[in-house]
Amino acid sequence: GGPAVEVEDLCAGLRLHPVAGDGSLADAVSELVGAAAAAPPTELPPEEELPAPDDLEGWLKYLVSNPASPAAAAALASLESRIREWKDWDKLVLLLLGKLDAAPDSHARVELLREVAGIFEQEVGDLGKAFHTLRAGFREEPANDEITLDLERLAGATGQWSDLLRDYTEQALTQKDKDLAIAEWLRIARVAQRDAAQAETAVEAL
């Protein structure tokens, strides 16, 4: 089956900033996702049909249809190096999210999402977007302790405990392994207690 992360939903939730002109990251990545259906995998096209070396969105669209393409890997690696050097965080987020559908497995998608979350938190200073991105990572790998620790840290910083509880509850209700389900409910109880304590502190401060 396909990846658990829905790229279009993720971009809509993040309300990504414009990159250039009238377009937006959300629009651009939505186009990338649509490209998979519009352009089924093909053999490596003639050189003149490949995107221009600096065409980030063109290479990402091509990558969706040709995930094993050495040409796309080389072009995107070159672009990523320059984008990081320029500290163009919007374009770097676009590049990383654009690679989600071509990622070989769940772990690779999670690593991309964790990097995007780190950019939002450390470089952009938007903890809400960092939290939202990690929620997508949690849906990919709910047993990943590093993600849950970061999620709970960001939930405390942003006050979004109710969203986190909703994600945990959904996972507990759909978990088929009895031991994992019990562990999930225990985690829910712990987070709910923390959320209640935070709410009580806020009321006392009024």
Side-chain angles (χ1 to χ4, degrees), residues 50-72:
L50 292 173
D54 292 333
D55 184 1
L56 173 60
E57 293 183 21
W59 279 113
L60 288 174
K61 289 178 182 178
Y62 181 77
L63 180 68
V64 171
S65 298
N66 302 272
S69 165

Side-chain angles (χ1 to χ4, degrees), residues 115-154:
E115 185 167 4
V116 170
I119 292 168
F120 281 135
E121 180 178 4
Q122 298 167 20
E123 307 297 348
V124 180
D126 192 326
L127 300 186
K129 287 182 179 179
F131 176 74
H132 186 85
T133 304
L134 283 179
R135 290 177 69 195
F138 172 76
R139 287 190 287 274
E140 280 280 349
E141 288 188 351
N144 188 315
D145 291 336
E146 292 181 343
I147 288 181
T148 55
L149 285 173
D150 283 340
L151 270 175
E152 292 179 18
R153 175 176 56 79
L154 287 169

Side-chain angles (χ1 to χ4, degrees), residues 49-120:
E49 294 184 24
L50 292 173
D54 292 333
D55 184 1
L56 173 60
E57 293 183 21
W59 279 113
L60 288 174
K61 289 178 182 178
Y62 181 77
L63 180 68
V64 171
S65 298
N66 302 272
S69 165
L76 288 171
S78 176
L79 284 167
E80 182 174 346
S81 177
R82 281 178 282 164
I83 289 169
R84 289 182 185 277
E85 183 179 349
W86 298 332
K87 300 185 186 299
D88 189 335
W89 307 122
D90 278 350
K91 282 190 176 179
L92 184 55
V93 166
L94 169 62
L95 190 154
L96 296 173
L97 291 180
K99 292 164 76 173
L100 279 175
D101 282 340
D105 52 38
S106 179
H107 180 71
R109 288 190 290 274
V110 166
E111 289 305 304
L112 288 168
L113 290 166
R114 291 187 67 197
E115 185 167 4
V116 170
I119 292 168
F120 281 135

